[in-house]
Amino acid sequence: MTDGLTVITLTLLVNYLTRKIPAFQAIILGTVITSASWLILAFKPTVWGAVLSLFVLALGEIIQSPRYYEYISRLAPPGQQGTYMGFAFLPIGIGSLIGGWFGGTLAHHFVEVTHRPERMWWTVTAVGVATAGLLWIYDRSMRPVTTASIN
């Protein structure tokens, strides 16, 4: 309930506060925040640690998600926004295919083999931070060349 309640109550405020951040930078920021949220469980593996972790995760989601769809819609040529928006769900689909296996593998290793479940969250965070890093590299390498940057 923490994630949904946070999203419902804070979306307008967080979107207002982050409105001046460019869309792709907001996507990266939201990814970093959601990734870092799992470290709360690594340091505080309690019920309240889980609640706080989900609260921070929701804040990252609020920052990232609307701006992701804004970015995708701006990439689309006129008249093809619907097709591009459909493809915006591709990473979610890939994550659904990989996530169960990956989470199960992590849980098996860190819970059953090493008996250190709190360490699992470091790996989850590392995947998110690596994703944010790759997004940052993409943003830097795929920027359009303008006449001002040629001179």
Side-chain angles (χ1 to χ4, degrees), residues 17 77 94:
L17 295 173
I94 292 169

Side-chain angles (χ1 to χ4, degrees), residues 56-92:
V56 174
L57 176 95
L59 291 177
E61 182 182 343
I62 293 169
I63 293 168
Q64 182 267 340
S65 192
R67 305 305 294 278
Y68 172 70
Y69 296 109
E70 173 189 339
Y71 177 77
I72 294 295
S73 69
R74 288 183 181 174
L75 280 179
Q80 293 187 12
Q81 287 88 357
T83 302
Y84 275 63
M85 294 303 286
F87 280 113
F89 290 101
L90 188 59
I92 296 167

Side-chain angles (χ1 to χ4, degrees), residues 89-140:
F89 290 101
L90 188 59
I92 296 167
I94 292 169
S96 295
L97 291 173
I98 296 170
W101 169 83
F102 185 67
T105 302
L106 290 177
H108 170 72
H109 177 74
F110 289 106
V111 176
E112 297 172 3
V113 176
T114 66
H115 304 288
R116 299 295 306 251
E118 68 280 0
R119 290 188 177 176
M120 179 173 93
W121 303 114
W122 288 95
T123 304
V124 173
T125 299
V127 169
V129 170
T131 299
L134 290 170
L135 287 169
W136 182 80
I137 291 168
Y138 169 82
D139 185 42
R140 296 293 177 230

Side-chain angles (χ1 to χ4, degrees), residues 2 41 46-56:
T2 301
L41 274 177
T46 64
V47 171
W48 287 110
V51 170
L52 182 58
S53 182
L54 290 173
F55 175 77
V56 174

Side-chain angles (χ1 to χ4, degrees), residues 2-12 62:
T2 301
D3 183 87
L5 193 59
T6 302
V7 169
I8 290 167
T9 58
L10 295 179
T11 295
L12 291 175
I62 293 169

